[in-house]
Amino acid sequence: MDVEADGSAGPEVNTAVLATLKGNTEAYARVVERYQQRLFALALMTVRDRAGAEDVAQEAFVRAYTYLHRYDRRRPFYPWLATIAVRLGREWLRGGGREVSLEGSDIPVESRLGATTDLLGDLINDHRSRHLWQSVVALPRGERMAVLFYYRQEMRLVEVAEVLGVSTGTVKTLLYRARKKLRRAVADQVGGNTPDEETENEL
Amino acid sequence: MNCKQLCALLDELPVPEWSPGQLDRAEEHARECPDCGVMLRREKEWTMQWQAAPDPEVPAMLVDSVMAQVAARHQSGAAPGEMAASAIKPTRAGGNGQAWAAIIGLAIGLGAYLFQLSTGQLGLEIISSAFPQWRGELASLGATELVPLVVVAGMAVFLLGFISLFAFDAPTSEGPDINSVD
């Protein structure tokens, strides 16, 4: 975890940010190294294109450096950085019109996930993990982002809401829809109905 | 807790958000109900698997690429805060206010015109009674002369607002503000 109990960025990040603001650009490398994995995963889940994700992640770090003086060091650093990346990801999608390809597809329909399968196949070796990522990457964008932020990136509901620019109620709804689809995806992998579907049928 | 309540809880909140009491009651029910037991177990398993799954591999040159750009910006002689000022892009912040001013101006103008069409001299009398100090001036103007003035003023406000939307963009930073994501 890079977040202190009071919600601020950890001391290491704060020190690096302060040093960067004083002109020590090398200190910023520590910030990039610390968050590159999370931010790249976020960019990848946003744009679903490897080269695009690289561009978005890179630009997000550079923008964060440019506007570092605006970062409130009493608050966690990652949600602030993620906000930039989400915004850039949206711009990238608007520019390329790539969002339509997989949006809203059911999970998992392998034939519709060809591009995603290839994309994650290169980046994740473990088969089981790849299937989990594939299940999530096929969700609509809002649900995908909410699941990623909440379950993977250890952000609280309120932080997810801030980054996505929605209410916490909306985040709960997004997570609810996502979980429902993901349960079905897991059941499809195992075979048969999910227990909750069976229960729902009985009720 | 019964099956329906457990399903509702699973739908409503992710398991990590459950209170200790909710978790205890859910587990107590799951011990008695095999279907719910499987459902709860799978939900927890999926959460743990997803949390433990490795992240996609990061491009090898990401840090170097970022730092090369950062160094280039630094060499251009600006610290982060100073750079932001030069990197500002003009946006249309404030445009909404101008647009509303224009619409309100037009509405007042057109409203006065329509009011006059429907009430004739009555409109002028109402204004006179509201502003008795202007009674003399209003009486000398007459309704037919006053209303076009209001309409023209409204149109002028509308045009100014419209032009300013495109000609005088307020330069505001596009920098990130966590509280205002588009």
Coordinates of all heavy atoms in Angstrom, one line a residue, chain B residues 67-146:
Chain B
M67 N 10.9 9.9 -18.3 CA 12.0 10.7 -17.7 C 12.7 11.5 -18.8 O 13.2 12.6 -18.5 CB 13.0 9.8 -16.9 CG 12.4 9.2 -15.7 SD 11.5 10.4 -14.6 CE 12.8 11.6 -14.1
A68 N 12.8 11.0 -20.0 CA 13.4 11.8 -21.1 C 12.5 13.0 -21.4 O 13.1 14.1 -21.6 CB 13.4 10.9 -22.4
Q69 N 11.2 12.8 -21.4 CA 10.3 14.0 -21.6 C 10.4 15.0 -20.4 O 10.4 16.2 -20.6 CB 8.9 13.5 -21.8 CG 8.7 12.8 -23.1 CD 7.2 12.7 -23.4 OE1 6.4 13.6 -23.3 NE2 6.8 11.5 -23.7
V70 N 10.5 14.4 -19.2 CA 10.6 15.3 -18.0 C 11.9 16.1 -18.1 O 11.9 17.3 -17.8 CB 10.5 14.4 -16.7 CG1 11.0 15.2 -15.5 CG2 9.1 13.9 -16.5
A71 N 13.0 15.4 -18.5 CA 14.3 16.1 -18.5 C 14.2 17.2 -19.6 O 14.8 18.3 -19.4 CB 15.4 15.1 -18.8
A72 N 13.6 16.9 -20.7 CA 13.5 17.9 -21.8 C 12.8 19.1 -21.3 O 13.2 20.2 -21.6 CB 12.8 17.3 -23.0
R73 N 11.7 18.9 -20.6 CA 10.9 20.0 -20.1 C 11.7 20.8 -19.0 O 11.7 22.0 -19.0 CB 9.6 19.5 -19.5 CG 8.6 19.1 -20.5 CD 7.4 18.6 -20.0 NE 6.5 18.1 -21.1 CZ 5.3 18.5 -21.3 NH1 4.7 19.2 -20.4 NH2 4.6 18.0 -22.4
H74 N 12.4 20.0 -18.2 CA 13.3 20.7 -17.2 C 14.3 21.5 -17.8 O 14.6 22.7 -17.4 CB 13.9 19.6 -16.3 CG 14.6 20.2 -15.1 ND1 13.9 20.9 -14.1 CD2 15.9 20.3 -14.8 CE1 14.8 21.3 -13.2 NE2 16.0 20.9 -13.6
Q75 N 15.0 21.0 -18.9 CA 16.0 21.7 -19.6 C 15.5 23.0 -20.3 O 16.3 23.9 -20.5 CB 16.7 20.8 -20.6 CG 17.8 19.9 -19.9 CD 18.3 18.8 -20.8 OE1 17.9 18.8 -22.0 NE2 19.0 17.9 -20.3
S76 N 14.2 23.0 -20.6 CA 13.7 24.2 -21.2 C 13.6 25.3 -20.2 O 13.2 26.4 -20.5 CB 12.3 23.9 -21.8 OG 11.4 23.7 -20.8
G77 N 14.0 25.0 -18.9 CA 14.1 26.1 -17.9 C 12.9 26.3 -17.0 O 12.9 27.3 -16.4
A78 N 12.0 25.4 -17.0 CA 10.8 25.6 -16.1 C 10.7 24.5 -15.1 O 10.8 23.3 -15.4 CB 9.6 25.7 -17.0
A79 N 10.3 24.9 -13.9 CA 9.9 23.9 -12.9 C 8.5 23.6 -13.1 O 7.8 24.3 -13.9 CB 10.1 24.6 -11.5
P80 N 8.0 22.5 -12.5 CA 6.6 22.1 -12.8 C 5.6 23.2 -12.8 O 4.8 23.4 -13.7 CB 6.3 21.1 -11.7 CG 7.6 20.4 -11.5 CD 8.6 21.6 -11.6
G81 N 5.6 24.0 -11.7 CA 4.6 25.1 -11.6 C 4.7 26.1 -12.7 O 3.7 26.5 -13.3
E82 N 5.9 26.5 -13.0 CA 6.1 27.5 -14.1 C 5.8 27.0 -15.4 O 5.2 27.7 -16.3 CB 7.6 28.0 -14.1 CG 8.0 28.7 -12.9 CD 9.5 28.7 -12.6 OE1 10.2 28.2 -13.5 OE2 9.9 29.0 -11.5
M83 N 6.0 25.7 -15.6 CA 5.7 25.1 -16.9 C 4.2 25.1 -17.2 O 3.8 25.3 -18.3 CB 6.2 23.6 -16.9 CG 7.1 23.3 -18.0 SD 7.8 21.7 -18.0 CE 7.5 21.1 -16.4
A84 N 3.5 24.9 -16.1 CA 2.1 24.8 -16.3 C 1.5 26.0 -16.9 O 0.6 26.0 -17.7 CB 1.4 24.5 -14.9
A85 N 2.1 27.2 -16.5 CA 1.6 28.4 -17.0 C 1.8 28.5 -18.5 O 0.9 29.0 -19.2 CB 2.3 29.6 -16.3
S86 N 2.9 28.0 -19.0 CA 3.1 28.1 -20.4 C 2.4 27.0 -21.2 O 2.2 27.1 -22.4 CB 4.6 28.0 -20.7 OG 5.1 26.8 -20.2
A87 N 2.0 26.0 -20.4 CA 1.3 24.9 -21.1 C -0.2 25.0 -21.1 O -0.9 24.1 -21.5 CB 1.7 23.5 -20.4
I88 N -0.6 26.2 -20.6 CA -2.1 26.4 -20.5 C -2.7 26.5 -21.9 O -2.2 27.1 -22.8 CB -2.3 27.7 -19.7 CG1 -2.1 27.5 -18.2 CG2 -3.7 28.2 -20.0 CD1 -2.1 28.7 -17.4
K89 N -3.7 25.8 -22.0 CA -4.5 25.9 -23.3 C -5.8 26.7 -23.0 O -6.4 26.5 -22.0 CB -4.9 24.5 -23.7 CG -3.9 23.7 -24.5 CD -4.5 22.4 -25.0 CE -3.4 21.5 -25.6 NZ -4.0 20.2 -25.9
P90 N -6.1 27.6 -23.9 CA -7.4 28.3 -23.7 C -8.6 27.3 -23.8 O -8.6 26.5 -24.6 CB -7.4 29.3 -24.9 CG -6.5 28.7 -25.9 CD -5.5 27.9 -25.2
T91 N -9.4 27.5 -22.8 CA -10.6 26.7 -22.9 C -11.8 27.6 -22.8 O -11.7 28.9 -22.7 CB -10.7 25.8 -21.7 OG1 -10.8 26.5 -20.5 CG2 -9.5 24.9 -21.6
R92 N -13.0 27.1 -22.8 CA -14.2 27.9 -22.8 C -14.8 28.0 -21.4 O -16.0 28.1 -21.2 CB -15.2 27.4 -23.8 CG -14.7 27.7 -25.2 CD -15.6 27.2 -26.2 NE -15.0 27.4 -27.5 CZ -15.4 26.8 -28.6 NH1 -16.4 25.9 -28.5 NH2 -14.8 27.0 -29.7
A93 N -14.0 27.9 -20.4 CA -14.5 28.1 -19.0 C -15.1 29.5 -18.9 O -14.5 30.4 -19.4 CB -13.4 27.9 -18.0
G94 N -16.2 29.7 -18.3 CA -16.8 31.0 -18.3 C -17.8 31.1 -19.4 O -18.6 32.0 -19.4
G95 N -17.7 30.3 -20.4 CA -18.6 30.4 -21.6 C -20.0 30.1 -21.2 O -20.9 30.7 -21.7
N96 N -20.2 29.2 -20.2 CA -21.5 28.9 -19.8 C -22.2 30.2 -19.2 O -23.4 30.4 -19.5 CB -21.5 27.9 -18.7 CG -21.4 26.5 -19.4 OD1 -21.6 26.4 -20.6 ND2 -21.1 25.5 -18.5
G97 N -21.5 30.9 -18.4 CA -22.1 32.1 -17.8 C -22.4 33.1 -18.9 O -23.5 33.8 -18.8
Q98 N -21.6 33.3 -19.9 CA -21.8 34.3 -21.0 C -23.0 33.8 -21.8 O -23.9 34.6 -22.2 CB -20.6 34.4 -21.9 CG -19.4 35.1 -21.2 CD -18.1 34.7 -21.8 OE1 -18.0 33.8 -22.7 NE2 -17.1 35.3 -21.3
A99 N -23.1 32.5 -22.0 CA -24.2 32.0 -22.8 C -25.6 32.2 -22.0 O -26.6 32.6 -22.6 CB -24.0 30.5 -23.0
W100 N -25.5 32.0 -20.7 CA -26.7 32.2 -19.9 C -27.1 33.7 -19.9 O -28.3 34.0 -20.0 CB -26.5 31.7 -18.5 CG -26.8 30.3 -18.4 CD1 -25.9 29.3 -18.1 CD2 -28.0 29.6 -18.6 NE1 -26.5 28.1 -18.1 CE2 -27.8 28.2 -18.4 CE3 -29.3 30.0 -18.9 CZ2 -28.8 27.2 -18.5 CZ3 -30.3 29.0 -19.0 CH2 -30.0 27.7 -18.8
A101 N -26.1 34.6 -19.8 CA -26.4 36.0 -19.9 C -27.1 36.4 -21.2 O -28.0 37.2 -21.2 CB -25.1 36.8 -19.7
A102 N -26.6 35.8 -22.3 CA -27.1 36.1 -23.6 C -28.6 35.6 -23.7 O -29.4 36.3 -24.2 CB -26.3 35.4 -24.7
I103 N -28.8 34.4 -23.2 CA -30.1 33.8 -23.3 C -31.1 34.6 -22.4 O -32.2 34.9 -22.9 CB -30.1 32.3 -22.9 CG1 -29.4 31.5 -23.9 CG2 -31.5 31.8 -22.6 CD1 -28.9 30.1 -23.5
I104 N -30.7 35.0 -21.2 CA -31.5 35.8 -20.4 C -31.9 37.1 -21.0 O -33.0 37.6 -21.0 CB -30.9 36.0 -19.0 CG1 -30.9 34.6 -18.2 CG2 -31.7 37.0 -18.1 CD1 -30.1 34.5 -17.0
G105 N -30.8 37.8 -21.6 CA -31.0 39.1 -22.2 C -32.1 38.9 -23.4 O -33.0 39.8 -23.5
L106 N -31.9 37.9 -24.2 CA -32.8 37.7 -25.3 C -34.3 37.4 -24.8 O -35.2 37.9 -25.3 CB -32.4 36.5 -26.1 CG -33.2 36.3 -27.4 CD1 -33.0 37.5 -28.4 CD2 -32.8 35.0 -28.1
A107 N -34.3 36.6 -23.7 CA -35.6 36.3 -23.1 C -36.3 37.5 -22.6 O -37.5 37.7 -22.8 CB -35.4 35.2 -22.0
I108 N -35.5 38.4 -21.9 CA -36.2 39.6 -21.4 C -36.7 40.5 -22.6 O -37.9 41.0 -22.5 CB -35.1 40.5 -20.6 CG1 -34.8 39.7 -19.3 CG2 -35.7 41.9 -20.3 CD1 -33.7 40.3 -18.5
G109 N -35.9 40.6 -23.6 CA -36.3 41.4 -24.8 C -37.5 40.8 -25.4 O -38.5 41.5 -25.6
L110 N -37.5 39.5 -25.7 CA -38.6 38.9 -26.4 C -39.9 38.9 -25.5 O -41.0 39.1 -25.9 CB -38.3 37.5 -26.8 CG -37.3 37.4 -28.0 CD1 -37.0 35.9 -28.3 CD2 -37.9 38.1 -29.3
G111 N -39.6 38.6 -24.2 CA -40.7 38.6 -23.2 C -41.4 39.9 -23.2 O -42.7 40.0 -23.2
A112 N -40.6 41.0 -23.2 CA -41.2 42.4 -23.1 C -42.1 42.6 -24.4 O -43.2 43.2 -24.4 CB -40.1 43.4 -23.0
Y113 N -41.5 42.1 -25.5 CA -42.2 42.3 -26.8 C -43.5 41.6 -26.8 O -44.6 42.1 -27.1 CB -41.3 41.8 -27.9 CG -41.9 42.0 -29.3 CD1 -42.1 43.3 -29.8 CD2 -42.3 40.9 -30.1 CE1 -42.7 43.5 -31.1 CE2 -42.8 41.1 -31.3 CZ -43.0 42.4 -31.8 OH -43.6 42.5 -33.0
L114 N -43.5 40.3 -26.4 CA -44.7 39.5 -26.4 C -45.7 40.0 -25.4 O -46.9 40.0 -25.6 CB -44.4 38.0 -26.0 CG -43.6 37.3 -27.1 CD1 -43.1 35.9 -26.6 CD2 -44.4 37.1 -28.4
F115 N -45.2 40.5 -24.2 CA -46.1 41.1 -23.2 C -46.8 42.3 -23.8 O -48.0 42.4 -23.6 CB -45.2 41.5 -22.0 CG -46.0 42.0 -20.8 CD1 -46.8 41.1 -20.2 CD2 -45.8 43.3 -20.4 CE1 -47.5 41.6 -19.1 CE2 -46.5 43.7 -19.3 CZ -47.4 42.9 -18.6
Q116 N -46.1 43.1 -24.5 CA -46.7 44.3 -25.1 C -47.7 43.9 -26.1 O -48.8 44.4 -26.2 CB -45.6 45.1 -25.8 CG -46.0 46.2 -26.6 CD -46.8 47.3 -25.8 OE1 -46.7 47.3 -24.6 NE2 -47.7 48.0 -26.5
L117 N -47.4 42.8 -26.9 CA -48.4 42.4 -28.0 C -49.7 42.0 -27.3 O -50.8 42.2 -27.8 CB -47.8 41.2 -28.7 CG -46.8 41.5 -29.9 CD1 -46.4 40.2 -30.6 CD2 -47.4 42.5 -30.9
S118 N -49.6 41.3 -26.2 CA -50.8 40.7 -25.6 C -51.5 41.7 -24.7 O -52.7 41.6 -24.5 CB -50.4 39.5 -24.7 OG -49.6 39.9 -23.7
T119 N -50.8 42.7 -24.2 CA -51.5 43.6 -23.2 C -51.6 45.1 -23.7 O -52.3 45.9 -23.1 CB -50.8 43.6 -21.9 OG1 -49.4 44.1 -22.1 CG2 -50.7 42.3 -21.3
G120 N -50.9 45.4 -24.8 CA -50.9 46.8 -25.3 C -50.4 47.8 -24.2 O -49.4 47.5 -23.6
Q121 N -51.2 48.8 -24.0 CA -50.8 49.9 -23.1 C -50.6 49.4 -21.7 O -49.9 50.0 -20.9 CB -51.8 51.0 -23.2 CG -51.4 52.3 -22.5 CD -50.2 52.9 -23.2 OE1 -49.9 52.7 -24.3 NE2 -49.5 53.7 -22.4
L122 N -51.3 48.3 -21.4 CA -51.3 47.8 -20.0 C -49.9 47.5 -19.4 O -49.6 47.8 -18.3 CB -52.1 46.5 -19.9 CG -52.3 45.8 -18.5 CD1 -53.0 46.8 -17.6 CD2 -53.0 44.5 -18.6
G123 N -49.0 47.0 -20.3 CA -47.6 46.7 -19.9 C -46.9 48.0 -19.4 O -46.3 48.0 -18.4
L124 N -47.1 49.1 -20.1 CA -46.5 50.3 -19.8 C -47.0 50.8 -18.4 O -46.3 51.3 -17.6 CB -46.8 51.4 -20.9 CG -45.9 52.6 -20.8 CD1 -44.5 52.3 -20.9 CD2 -46.4 53.5 -21.9
E125 N -48.3 50.6 -18.2 CA -48.9 51.1 -16.9 C -48.4 50.3 -15.8 O -48.2 50.8 -14.7 CB -50.5 50.9 -17.0 CG -51.1 52.0 -17.9 CD -52.6 51.7 -18.2 OE1 -53.1 50.8 -17.6 OE2 -53.1 52.3 -19.1
I126 N -48.2 49.0 -16.0 CA -47.7 48.1 -14.9 C -46.2 48.6 -14.5 O -45.9 48.8 -13.4 CB -47.6 46.6 -15.3 CG1 -49.1 46.2 -15.4 CG2 -46.8 45.8 -14.3 CD1 -49.2 44.7 -16.0
I127 N -45.4 48.9 -15.6 CA -44.1 49.3 -15.3 C -44.1 50.7 -14.6 O -43.4 50.9 -13.6 CB -43.3 49.4 -16.6 CG1 -43.1 48.1 -17.3 CG2 -41.9 50.0 -16.4 CD1 -42.6 48.1 -18.7
S128 N -45.0 51.5 -15.0 CA -45.1 52.9 -14.4 C -45.5 52.7 -12.9 O -45.0 53.5 -12.1 CB -46.2 53.7 -15.1 OG -45.8 53.9 -16.4
S129 N -46.4 51.8 -12.6 CA -46.8 51.7 -11.2 C -45.7 51.1 -10.4 O -45.6 51.4 -9.2 CB -48.1 50.8 -11.1 OG -47.8 49.5 -11.6
A130 N -44.9 50.2 -11.0 CA -43.8 49.6 -10.2 C -42.7 50.7 -10.0 O -42.0 50.6 -9.0 CB -43.2 48.4 -11.0
F131 N -42.5 51.5 -10.9 CA -41.4 52.6 -10.8 C -42.1 54.0 -11.0 O -41.9 54.6 -12.0 CB -40.3 52.4 -11.9 CG -39.7 51.0 -11.8 CD1 -40.1 50.0 -12.7 CD2 -38.7 50.7 -10.9 CE1 -39.5 48.7 -12.6 CE2 -38.1 49.5 -10.8 CZ -38.5 48.5 -11.6
P132 N -42.8 54.4 -9.9 CA -43.5 55.7 -10.1 C -42.6 56.9 -10.4 O -43.0 57.8 -11.0 CB -44.2 55.8 -8.7 CG -43.5 54.9 -7.8 CD -42.9 53.8 -8.6
Q133 N -41.3 56.8 -10.0 CA -40.4 57.9 -10.2 C -40.1 58.1 -11.7 O -39.6 59.1 -12.2 CB -39.1 57.7 -9.5 CG -38.2 56.6 -9.9 CD -38.5 55.2 -9.2 OE1 -39.7 55.0 -8.8 NE2 -37.6 54.3 -9.1
W134 N -40.4 57.0 -12.5 CA -40.1 57.1 -14.0 C -41.4 57.4 -14.7 O -41.4 57.4 -16.0 CB -39.6 55.8 -14.5 CG -38.2 55.4 -14.0 CD1 -37.4 56.2 -13.3 CD2 -37.6 54.1 -14.1 NE1 -36.2 55.5 -12.9 CE2 -36.3 54.2 -13.4 CE3 -37.9 52.9 -14.6 CZ2 -35.5 53.2 -13.2 CZ3 -37.0 51.9 -14.5 CH2 -35.8 52.0 -13.8
R135 N -42.5 57.6 -14.0 CA -43.8 57.8 -14.6 C -43.8 58.8 -15.8 O -44.3 58.6 -16.9 CB -44.9 58.1 -13.6 CG -46.3 58.0 -14.1 CD -47.3 58.4 -13.0 NE -47.2 57.5 -11.9 CZ -48.0 56.4 -11.8 NH1 -48.7 56.0 -12.8 NH2 -47.9 55.6 -10.8
G136 N -43.1 60.0 -15.5 CA -43.1 61.0 -16.4 C -42.4 60.6 -17.7 O -42.9 60.8 -18.8
E137 N -41.2 60.0 -17.5 CA -40.4 59.6 -18.7 C -41.1 58.5 -19.5 O -41.2 58.6 -20.8 CB -39.1 59.1 -18.3 CG -38.1 60.1 -17.8 CD -38.3 60.4 -16.3 OE1 -39.3 60.1 -15.7 OE2 -37.4 61.1 -15.7
L138 N -41.7 57.6 -18.8 CA -42.4 56.5 -19.5 C -43.6 57.0 -20.3 O -43.9 56.6 -21.4 CB -42.9 55.4 -18.5 CG -41.8 54.6 -17.9 CD1 -42.3 53.8 -16.7 CD2 -41.2 53.6 -18.9
A139 N -44.3 58.0 -19.7 CA -45.5 58.5 -20.3 C -45.1 59.2 -21.6 O -45.8 59.1 -22.7 CB -46.2 59.5 -19.4
S140 N -44.0 59.9 -21.6 CA -43.5 60.6 -22.8 C -43.0 59.7 -23.9 O -43.1 59.9 -25.1 CB -42.4 61.6 -22.5 OG -41.3 60.9 -22.0
L141 N -42.5 58.5 -23.5 CA -42.0 57.5 -24.4 C -43.1 56.8 -25.2 O -43.1 56.7 -26.4 CB -41.2 56.4 -23.7 CG -39.7 56.6 -23.7 CD1 -39.0 55.5 -22.8 CD2 -39.0 56.7 -25.0
G142 N -44.1 56.3 -24.4 CA -45.2 55.5 -25.0 C -44.8 54.1 -25.3 O -43.6 53.8 -25.5
A143 N -45.7 53.2 -25.3 CA -45.4 51.8 -25.3 C -44.7 51.4 -26.6 O -43.8 50.6 -26.6 CB -46.7 51.0 -25.2
T144 N -45.1 51.9 -27.7 CA -44.5 51.5 -29.0 C -43.1 51.8 -29.1 O -42.3 51.2 -29.8 CB -45.3 52.1 -30.2 OG1 -45.4 53.5 -29.9 CG2 -46.7 51.4 -30.3
E145 N -42.6 52.9 -28.4 CA -41.2 53.2 -28.4 C -40.4 52.5 -27.4 O -39.2 52.2 -27.6 CB -41.1 54.8 -28.2 CG -41.7 55.6 -29.3 CD -41.8 57.0 -28.9 OE1 -40.9 57.6 -28.3 OE2 -42.9 57.6 -29.2
L146 N -41.0 52.2 -26.3 CA -40.3 51.6 -25.2 C -39.9 50.1 -25.5 O -38.8 49.7 -25.3 CB -41.1 51.6 -23.9 CG -40.5 50.9 -22.7 CD1 -39.2 51.6 -22.2 CD2 -41.5 50.8 -21.5

